[in-house]
Amino acid sequence: MIKVDDQKCCYCAGCVPTCPENSIFLWDTRLTIDETCITCNLCVIFCPVSALSIAEDEKKIA
Amino acid sequence: MKYDYDVIVVGAGPAGSIAAKTTAEAGLKTILLEKRQEIGTPVRCAEATGTRQEIGKFIPIDDSWINADIAAGRFISPSGHEMYKNAGHVGIMLERKIFDRALAEQAGDFGSEIQCRAAVVGLTENGVKVSSFGNEYEITGRYIIASDGVESQVARFAGIKNTMKLKDIHSCIQYLVRDIEIDEECIDIYVGNKVSPGGYVWVFPKGKRMANVGLGICTNKSKNKNAKAYLDEFMEKHFPKGKIVGMVLGAVPGSSYVKQLVKDNILFIGDAARQVNPLTGGGIFFALEAGRISGEVIAEAHRKGDNSILQNYQTIWDKEYGKLFSMYYKMRKLFLSMNDDEFDFLVQEVNKVASKYDGGTNFNKQIPEILWKAFTKNPKFMLKAGLSMFK
Ligand SMILES: Cc1cc2nc3c(=O)[nH]c(=O)nc-3n(C[C@H](O)[C@H](O)[C@H](O)COP(=O)(O)OP(=O)(O)OC[C@H]3O[C@@H](n4cnc5c(N)ncnc54)[C@H](O)[C@@H]3O)c2cc1C
Ligand code: SF4
Ligand code: SF4
């Protein structure tokens, strides 16, 4: 799963179009990522302020 | 079937607001749905756009949403070579917060309904599914305009894959900076792989001693460094004493517009259709244009009771802007392949060529020509340019 650091996220929605699974939705100021995420990392690379990251427990599995 | 509305417009950015104004003006029952609680904020834009004359075609000019008039442009190469061109009135700097609101209000004045904090979360057989304050409901409509910006979900709901590859999208950040030395009528552009790989840094005037200072990078070309790190470096070097009073983030498409602009009764416009100049990232003017054209086409289709007319939007757009976009897209590909020596060379050559052009409102259209003339000065570079375009 992808984690959103809400201290960093400025809800610009820029990551949304990079997602091949359409897992990301921006509810005004709240970014949500649903279970369809395949952890491809594209949104993580895109974010201008690095607000996204792969959750620690999944890193270990991968 | 009795529909709630003739036209449902999803997203109240410049594209959607002009579309809603156009269809409402033609007498079609129109509703403009906006996900945000407030139209126009937060801003996702560097706010430079066309001339007063160009923008005045869409809404009566009002100085409350103009921060500055742009007369000149300066390009700065990696080693500091400059090319400066004063071309008279080439554009304006907007206050998007006020501009976007004014556009939506204009749509309202022409009879469109408007709903804020109403997110479209799906398509239904005859319309859209809306989520607002915890309620989900359907709104039916004969035609749907998808003007939901770079994050467009409507396209995806309609089964169109509009995912953007990292190479085709700019990761952007901008600060609104006060108390700095700037030329109040000049836009400055810094190019080079060290300052902003795959994009450029902009310093766009916002009035007295104030500017939008930002950049876009292609994350394919930046190694382990985010856009913010590049901007902080630039600020440190050029405006260490500047006071940052605002911040803007966002994605700018660099891909040229989507192939399919119409699907059944849905028309895609603005950033949702990636109608953004792939080289410069300018999308406001095209959003307004697409809003107008799509609105007019729908009005005609409705009047004649013939949905096949909706395809005219695609035909008109391709005819009007197809060539321009594909040319700018090729140029962007070339820019992505350039190293800093080549940027130095280019800026110097462009400087020589550009002095022969008079500028004025046609300057935008002359830029590609000027660039080509500069390119052809160096055969090796020319060859590389040629190759990169066909890749
Ligand atoms: C950092 C940055 C700098 C830029 N600088 C410039 C510049 O200097 N000059 C220029 O010309 N262009 C610039 N652009 C591009 C320009 O901002 C866009 O091209 C322009 O805003 C596109 O207008 P639009 O109406 O298509 O989309 P938007 O202005 O993005 O509006 C889309 C609207 O749809 C709403 N929406 C989204 N999803 C839904 C939903 N599901 N339901 C309801 N509503 C929804 C959004 O909340 C938003 O209000 C810049 C962009 C960025 C990010
Ligand atoms: S790109 Fe980054 S800042 Fe923008 S919405 Fe996504 S996570 Fe937030
Ligand atoms: S990691 Fe990939 S699939 Fe998951 S939200 Fe990000 S872009 Fe989408």
Side-chain angles (χ1 to χ4, degrees):
Chain A
M1 248 332 250
I2 294 295
K3 256 191 345 198
V4 186
D5 183 342
D6 51 20
Q7 297 286 316
K8 289 185 184 164
C9 176
C10 298
Y11 35 89
C12 73
C15 51
V16 178
T18 67
C19 178
E21 300 299 316
N22 203 20
S23 313
I24 317 178
F25 192 75
L26 178 71
W27 290 94
D28 205 349
T29 60
R30 194 166 53 86
L31 195 72
T32 58
I33 297 172
D34 68 27
E35 68 294 339
T36 57
C37 168
I38 54 167
T39 342
C40 72
N41 213 38
L42 291 171
C43 59
V44 177
I45 299 170
F46 174 82
C47 178
V49 290
S50 305
L52 301 171
S53 60
I54 297 179
E56 274 307 317
D57 47 337
E58 282 204 30
K59 268 193 204 149
K60 278 182 210 131
I61 301 166
Chain B
M1 161 95 201
K2 173 135 181 42
Y3 292 96
D4 299 329
Y5 294 90
D6 296 317
V7 188
I8 301 171
V9 184
V10 185
S17 288
I18 289 298
K21 176 227 168 203
T22 309
T23 57
E25 191 178 10
L28 277 68
K29 194 175 177 206
T30 304
I31 185 163
L32 181 55
L33 299 171
E34 171 53 53
K35 179 172 72 167
R36 301 182 188 181
Q37 78 187 63
E38 207 171 337
I39 287 162
T41 58
V43 174
R44 296 174 192 152
C45 192
E47 307 179 299
T49 191
T51 59
R52 284 173 178 256
Q53 205 185 0
E54 282 166 331
I55 302 306
K57 280 194 284 184
F58 301 97
I59 182 167
I61 292 289
D62 188 325
D63 283 320
S64 71
W65 40 258
I66 299 180
N67 287 135
D69 282 283
I70 309 166
R74 190 193 337 263
F75 290 85
I76 300 108
S77 81
S79 321
H81 296 291
E82 279 189 17
M83 111 102 201
Y84 173 83
K85 177 87 192 162
N86 189 315
H89 178 63
V90 288
I92 51 176
M93 282 297 298
L94 293 167
E95 182 70 30
R96 279 282 304 265
K97 268 179 219 166
I98 304 175
F99 181 66
D100 284 23
R101 249 286 279 287
L103 286 171
E105 283 172 9
Q106 174 179 250
D109 291 344
F110 278 92
S112 174
E113 284 177 40
I114 303 171
Q115 254 181 48
C116 285
R117 207 153 174 117
V120 168
V121 292
L123 292 173
T124 62
E125 203 185 329
N126 294 304
V128 297
K129 191 161 85 182
V130 179
S131 171
S132 183
F133 287 95
N135 300 317
E136 277 200 3
Y137 48 92
E138 186 192 22
I139 296 180
T140 59
R142 228 176 269 278
Y143 312 100
I144 296 171
I145 293 183
S147 48
D148 46 346
V150 77
E151 72 205 274
S152 179
Q153 300 284 314
V154 174
R156 295 179 176 205
F157 297 147
I160 294 179
K161 204 165 156 48
N162 66 353
T163 308
M164 305 205 68
K165 298 203 176 80
L166 291 182
K167 72 174 175 58
D168 281 337
I169 189 169
H170 299 103
S171 174
C172 303
I173 180 163
Q174 165 183 292
Y175 297 147
L176 175 58
V177 188
R178 272 189 57 121
D179 279 342
I180 50 175
E181 293 299 329
I182 50 149
D183 179 341
E184 274 165 47
E185 52 169 29
C186 178
I187 57 170
D188 285 355
I189 306 238
Y190 295 74
V191 287
N193 290 302
K194 284 196 196 75
V195 287
S196 191
Y200 61 88
V201 181
W202 61 81
V203 180
F204 290 175
K206 284 280 280 178
K208 254 200 163 45
R209 296 179 59 78
M210 194 144 144
N212 282 337
V213 182
L215 55 78
I217 60 171
C218 184
T219 50
N220 268 8
K221 296 199 75 185
S222 62
K223 290 180 194 73
N224 301 322
K225 209 161 121 182
N226 64 23
K228 183 172 185 297
Y230 282 99
L231 185 57
D232 288 338
E233 242 168 52
F234 183 86
M235 286 293 296
E236 190 55 45
K237 184 162 172 216
H238 295 267
F239 303 116
K241 295 218 172 90
K243 296 181 186 110
I244 298 168
V245 294
M247 199 180 287
V248 162
L249 264 63
V252 176
S255 59
S256 188
Y257 62 91
V258 295
K259 285 203 187 72
Q260 191 179 0
L261 293 173
V262 181
K263 188 181 182 199
D264 305 326
N265 62 337
I266 310 176
L267 280 63
F268 304 96
I269 67 172
D271 274 16
R274 320 302 185 214
Q275 285 162 324
V276 178
N277 182 325
L279 183 65
T280 65
I284 302 166
F285 175 76
F286 296 116
L288 298 168
E289 268 288 90
R292 176 184 65 81
I293 298 169
S294 61
E296 287 173 359
V297 166
I298 286 178
E300 189 189 342
H302 191 64
R303 203 168 54 242
K304 299 191 174 149
D306 178 1
N307 270 14
S308 71
I309 287 174
L310 296 177
Q311 284 299 331
N312 289 0
Y313 161 50
Q314 175 98 48
T315 322
I316 296 171
W317 190 269
D318 287 341
K319 188 159 166 271
E320 201 69 33
Y321 295 111
K323 274 209 190 105
L324 191 79
F325 271 77
S326 74
M327 187 168 58
Y328 272 111
Y329 182 60
K330 284 179 189 159
M331 285 202 173
R332 175 171 185 266
K333 275 208 213 160
L334 171 62
F335 269 52
L336 282 175
S337 77
M338 280 167 64
N339 62 37
D340 281 3
D341 288 342
E342 288 163 339
F343 276 120
D344 279 330
F345 165 78
L346 187 68
V347 170
Q348 283 170 287
E349 283 306 321
V350 168
N351 203 9
K352 287 181 208 156
V353 182
S355 58
K356 297 190 188 79
Y357 285 77
D358 57 346
T361 45
N362 268 331
F363 197 57
N364 274 328
K365 295 206 179 97
Q366 292 170 358
I367 290 171
E369 202 179 314
I370 293 173
L371 285 172
W372 278 127
K373 289 210 169 146
F375 285 150
T376 46
K377 286 283 162 59
N378 178 335
K380 224 165 112 193
F381 191 40
M382 191 50 202
L383 185 66
K384 181 172 169 180
L387 285 174
S388 82
M389 305 231 161
F390 293 108
K391 258 190 242 158

